[in-house]
Amino acid sequence: TLHTTTAPSTVDRIIDHGAPGSAPGKGLPIGNLTSQHFANHSLAPLDRFVKEELRASGYVRYIDDCLLFADSKWVLRDAHARIREFLERRLKLEIKDEATVSAPVSEGIPFLGLRLWPRLIRLDGAGKRRLVRALKDASCELARGRLTEDDVAASLRSRLGHAAHADTLAAVREAKTRGAKIVSICNVLGSSLARESDGVLYTHAGPEIGVAS
């Protein structure tokens, strides 16, 4: 447990506060730096179960988003059932059925706002819409004088860092073959993306230290 035996600490207060709308004793506030720590602490037993009991050869977890790989859908279905039972019995947690996807990797796997193929990574539809909306909002605020260029660069840094994990260059080249004009937002002068684009807006954000998504 993370609870202390002394006077209530900051950790105790965060745990006891719960998430908005959650039942008493359930849920944690999300969207801040404590999310990663709580998830890793709470789900470490799941990692050990999947690797040591299920002997899964392909397993990835980021916070509460998990990927499990196998050569047979029957193996995956059995693993899913055993993981569900483990979570409910040992950790008092439930799997979101609506967020569970079982499909061949050739169809692309949605994960962390991206869609993953064996040799390709793209932003998923929702991720692209969020990025475009953020760019439009920032452009409007800049035009109205409510934000400076430095403010816009800072506000978009994490989103652009996340988008950089996708194979943007391949998407640009495909779009150009269809006659599209490309305007890119880049941080690095003379990058491959900048050279492939018809126009470039530079953020001048400096070296990337970390990405929050």
Side-chain angles (χ1 to χ4, degrees):
T1 178
L2 287 175
H3 272 276
T4 64
T5 56
T6 59
S9 65
T10 300
V11 172
D12 292 324
R13 290 196 294 271
I14 292 173
I15 293 174
D16 292 336
H17 184 273
S22 62
K26 288 190 175 184
L28 287 171
I30 62 173
N32 51 50
L33 295 178
T34 59
S35 301
Q36 295 92 321
H37 297 292
F38 287 137
N40 285 332
H41 176 84
S42 301
L43 294 176
L46 171 65
D47 298 337
R48 291 192 292 271
F49 174 76
V50 172
K51 296 302 292 182
E52 297 171 9
E53 299 294 328
L54 299 185
R55 300 286 184 180
S57 58
Y59 170 69
V60 179
R61 179 178 66 81
Y62 180 81
I63 314 295
D64 59 347
D65 292 320
C66 303
L67 293 179
L68 189 63
F69 298 91
D71 293 328
S72 166
K73 62 182 179 182
W74 305 110
V75 172
L76 288 176
R77 289 176 181 175
D78 177 69
H80 182 265
R82 293 178 63 184
I83 289 172
R84 180 193 294 275
E85 191 273 336
F86 174 84
L87 289 173
E88 293 177 352
R89 176 175 53 85
R90 287 283 303 278
L91 303 182
K92 311 302 180 186
L93 297 174
E94 298 176 359
I95 293 178
K96 289 183 178 179
D97 290 329
E98 65 273 18
T100 300
V101 177
S102 179
V105 294
S106 58
E107 294 183 4
I109 303 170
F111 189 60
L112 307 180
L114 303 169
R115 185 165 287 271
L116 313 180
W117 284 269
R119 287 175 292 277
L120 181 65
I121 301 176
R122 293 275 177 86
L123 284 174
D124 67 9
K128 284 187 284 189
R129 288 191 293 272
R130 286 193 297 268
L131 179 59
V132 170
R133 185 165 58 247
L135 291 172
K136 288 182 177 179
D137 291 345
S139 177
C140 290
E141 294 298 288
L142 180 63
R144 294 169 181 167
R146 296 177 182 174
L147 293 177
T148 66
E149 291 185 359
D150 288 341
D151 294 331
V152 171
S155 68
L156 295 176
R157 193 172 301 155
S158 65
R159 293 186 182 276
L160 295 175
H162 177 260
H165 292 287
D167 194 350
T168 313
L169 197 58
V172 165
R173 288 169 177 165
E174 180 180 339
K176 291 182 72 174
T177 63
R178 302 184 184 186
K181 295 294 184 181
I182 306 299
V183 177
S184 302
I185 301 176
C186 300
N187 182 38
V188 180
L189 295 173
S191 66
S192 297
L193 181 59
R195 293 196 300 270
E196 294 275 355
S197 302
D198 299 293
V200 185
L201 300 175
Y202 287 103
T203 63
H204 302 291
E208 180 182 301
I209 298 174
V211 174
S213 59

